[in-house]
Amino acid sequence: DAEITQSPRHKITETGRQVTLACHQTWNHNNMFWYRQDLGHGLRLIHYSYGVQDTNKGEVSDGYSVSRSNTEDLPLTLESAASSQTSVYFCASSLDRAEQFFGPGTRLTVL
Amino acid sequence: GEDVEQSLFLSVREGDSSVINCTYTDSSSTYLYWYKQEPGAGLQLLTYIFSNMDMKQDQRLTVLLNKKDKHLSLRIADTQTGDSAIYFCAESRPTGNQFYFGTGTSLTVIP
């Protein structure tokens, strides 16, 4: 069955370190998205991609980067982790404007 | 994003109806969605409504759309303890494939 996975599921890191969160989907979807979830803010879009080599900034992109070298993967990199980036991160994928399918999330703690 | 608003919390007794409300700002939105997030999990699509409809019913779920007031609601009949979760509304707009999510409403069902 097609699916979308994220790894790691939990990560603890220190301020200033570079961190990469993985997202992998086997739906063969064009579109992939990264969100962060914080109480009172809901889901906020960090970066998104509409296809290979395409990346776009979302609402809260500062301090984050993504790359799309193939259809299946959209890794999210925190260049220099900050405590304000402690959050739960969700990856999603979709075909055109249809339903977005979400991964199980990664809980990141920056100490 | 911040343009889509929901109440943060709702408590209901088991067997009662729950009504979760959402207001959005873009009158050109094409589809509006309701997602459910159970504890420790990603989001799953519950239902959606096209913008030219004003009501959609799916078993215990009823979605009402008031385009004039940009108001969307989700009614859950005969609410069960398994309905306890966070519910997000989301809108898609005519341009781009992004979704714009609300802040989420945490529904607690009291036995």
Side-chain angles (χ1 to χ4, degrees):
Chain A
D1 285 348
E3 60 178 357
I4 180 166
T5 57
Q6 294 182 235
S7 62
R9 296 293 314 277
H10 302 270
K11 174 79 176 176
I12 300 174
T13 191
E14 294 177 341
T15 301
R17 288 190 180 268
Q18 184 181 78
V19 176
T20 297
L21 309 183
C23 175
H24 180 81
Q25 54 98 2
T26 58
W27 296 97
N28 201 33
H29 284 162
N30 305 325
N31 308 319
M32 295 185 73
F33 308 86
W34 273 105
Y35 298 90
R36 59 178 288 175
Q37 182 181 15
D38 305 284
L39 185 63
H41 292 281
L43 288 174
R44 291 183 292 176
L45 185 63
I46 305 171
H47 282 285
Y48 58 101
S49 168
Y50 289 159
V52 176
Q53 302 302 330
D54 176 73
T55 61
N56 305 280
K57 293 182 179 180
E59 179 187 0
V60 290
S61 60
D62 287 350
Y64 303 94
S65 63
V66 293
S67 60
R68 187 91 180 270
S69 58
N70 58 51
T71 301
E72 295 80 18
D73 298 289
L74 187 71
L76 177 72
T77 297
L78 286 68
E79 307 293 347
S80 176
S83 57
S84 59
Q85 294 177 307
T86 293
S87 187
V88 181
Y89 291 85
F90 287 99
C91 179
S93 71
S94 74
L95 189 64
D96 298 322
R97 291 197 196 132
E99 173 187 355
Q100 287 192 13
F101 293 83
F102 281 80
T106 294
R107 183 174 294 275
L108 176 68
T109 302
V110 183
L111 301 175
Chain B
E2 302 298 332
D3 294 340
V4 184
E5 296 184 350
Q6 302 177 237
S7 299
L8 283 182
F9 303 102
L10 176 65
S11 292
V12 298
R13 294 208 172 271
E14 188 174 16
D16 288 350
S17 292
S18 308
V19 179
I20 302 171
N21 294 303
C22 171
T23 57
Y24 60 99
T25 58
D26 192 328
S27 58
S28 63
S29 292
T30 52
Y31 285 91
L32 294 130
Y33 304 83
W34 284 104
Y35 278 81
K36 178 182 181 182
Q37 182 186 30
E38 296 187 354
L43 280 69
Q44 289 192 306
L45 182 67
L46 268 183
T47 187
Y48 66 93
I49 188 167
F50 188 52
S51 59
N52 68 353
M53 299 168 64
D54 53 18
M55 187 182 89
K56 181 178 180 181
Q57 189 150 2
D58 183 2
Q59 299 182 330
R60 293 190 296 122
L61 305 179
T62 303
V63 178
L64 296 178
L65 175 60
N66 180 330
K67 284 194 71 176
K68 175 176 171 291
D69 295 336
K70 301 189 195 71
H71 184 263
L72 180 74
S73 67
L74 174 69
R75 178 177 181 269
I76 306 173
D78 186 25
T79 312
Q80 303 298 305
T81 54
D83 295 323
S84 292
I86 301 176
Y87 291 80
F88 290 92
C89 63
E91 58 172 339
S92 66
R93 298 174 183 170
T95 56
N97 296 332
Q98 302 175 59
F99 283 14
Y100 297 84
F101 283 87
T103 50
T105 298
S106 178
L107 174 64
T108 301
V109 181
I110 304 164

